[in-house]
Amino acid sequence: AQRVTQPEKLLSVFKGAPVELKCNYSYSGSPELFWYVQYSRQRLQLLLRHISRESIKGFTADLNKGETSFHLKKPFAQEEDSAMYYCALSVIQGAQKLVFGQGTRLTINP
Amino acid sequence: KAGVTQTPRYLIKTRGQQVTLSCSPISGHRSVSWYQQTPGQGLQFLFEYFSETQRNKGNFPGRFSGRQFSNSRSEMNVSTLELGDSALYLCASSGPVTNTGELFFGEGSRLTVL
């Protein structure tokens, strides 16, 4: 079965500190992983996808197949990073279907 | 370009009733998927439609159904409502390139069942 686990429901760090949001997945196939973010009063939106290997708003995420992880990292947190973050696994069964983790609420303290 | 639009935004129903939610995808998007979001279960996949055909379905009872029209607009229906159906129902569209995993979400329809 496909599963995405985000072990931290809440994460609080100070501005300027590094931040890491953890994500582990369980999937027998070749995974495609994403991070979605929801800022206050905004829609859920894509932050980044592992296949693009890009840095968005200073965030990066590396897929580690050995550890089945896709942790989201940023070296210096900013207050505007406060949001709900969801890790998602794309299950390509001829359709668009994402399996989401439970989400981590990140709070950046000034 | 207008985003994904969901109506109604809020609704209150009583147990046993049925409800229909509507979703208008981004122009040009042919795939529409639905998710249920609750505090306990998080975001759970309901189903996905592409070109008026249901391509995939999540693990929800048959009371949950949907359809897609030729203009890609989609509706989902929940019959015989139960208290546990109270949730935020999110619609997402994607395309025109399929299977990219990037979904564009609406603001959701918040259903309260009393």
Side-chain angles (χ1 to χ4, degrees):
Chain A
Q2 310 94 18
R3 187 183 307 146
V4 176
T5 304
Q6 293 178 251
E8 304 137 329
K9 280 191 175 180
L10 303 170
L11 183 62
S12 182
V13 301
F14 286 101
K15 177 182 173 182
V19 62
E20 180 179 45
L21 291 85
K22 291 184 168 48
C23 171
N24 289 90
Y25 67 90
S26 172
Y27 182 51
S28 57
S30 182
E32 287 195 40
L33 287 145
F34 306 82
W35 278 98
Y36 277 77
V37 61
Q38 188 166 27
Y39 301 103
S40 179
R41 296 195 182 90
Q42 293 188 29
R43 305 170 184 219
L44 190 60
Q45 59 187 283
L46 177 68
L47 179 62
L48 56 79
R49 70 190 88 185
H50 93 269
I51 202 168
S52 299
R53 294 185 155 270
E54 55 198 347
S55 173
I56 302 293
K57 299 184 179 182
F59 284 99
T60 59
D62 290 319
L63 177 61
N64 186 322
K65 291 186 179 181
E67 296 182 359
T68 59
S69 68
F70 188 56
H71 304 325
L72 184 67
K73 301 177 184 179
K74 184 169 182 176
F76 307 103
Q78 299 173 312
E79 289 185 65
E80 54 264 34
D81 295 330
S82 294
M84 192 74 179
Y85 291 80
Y86 294 93
C87 183
L89 169 68
S90 177
V91 180
I92 308 297
Q93 298 173 347
Q96 292 273 42
K97 175 184 175 182
L98 293 182
V99 176
F100 284 89
Q102 290 281 65
T104 298
R105 182 168 296 283
L106 176 64
T107 301
I108 308 302
N109 300 306
Chain B
K1 206 181 222 185
V4 176
T5 304
Q6 292 188 244
T7 56
R9 291 290 314 282
Y10 303 91
L11 64 166
I12 299 174
K13 294 285 186 178
T14 56
R15 279 181 297 176
Q17 287 187 309
Q18 75 164 14
V19 66
T20 298
L21 309 177
S22 181
C23 172
S24 293
I26 291 172
S27 178
H29 286 190
R30 295 166 65 189
S31 170
V32 174
S33 50
W34 290 87
Y35 289 81
Q36 182 196 64
Q37 186 175 29
T38 59
Q41 300 297 319
L43 280 153
Q44 291 189 287
F45 174 79
L46 280 156
F47 27 63
E48 186 231 356
Y49 288 88
F50 181 84
S51 293
E52 303 179 65
T53 301
Q54 187 181 87
R55 290 204 295 191
N56 211 341
K57 191 176 191 304
N59 296 323
F60 280 82
R63 300 185 296 108
F64 292 82
S65 63
R67 59 177 174 169
Q68 187 180 32
F69 302 96
S70 58
N71 61 358
S72 293
R73 190 177 71 84
S74 177
E75 289 182 346
M76 67 163 281
N77 183 277
V78 188
S79 62
T80 321
L81 284 166
E82 301 177 359
L83 295 179
D85 297 333
S86 293
L88 180 67
Y89 290 88
L90 291 171
C91 169
S93 72
S94 62
V97 177
T98 61
N99 295 346
T100 65
E102 179 170 11
L103 303 182
F104 294 84
F105 284 87
E107 294 180 288
S109 293
R110 185 166 295 281
L111 170 66
T112 301
V113 182
L114 302 176

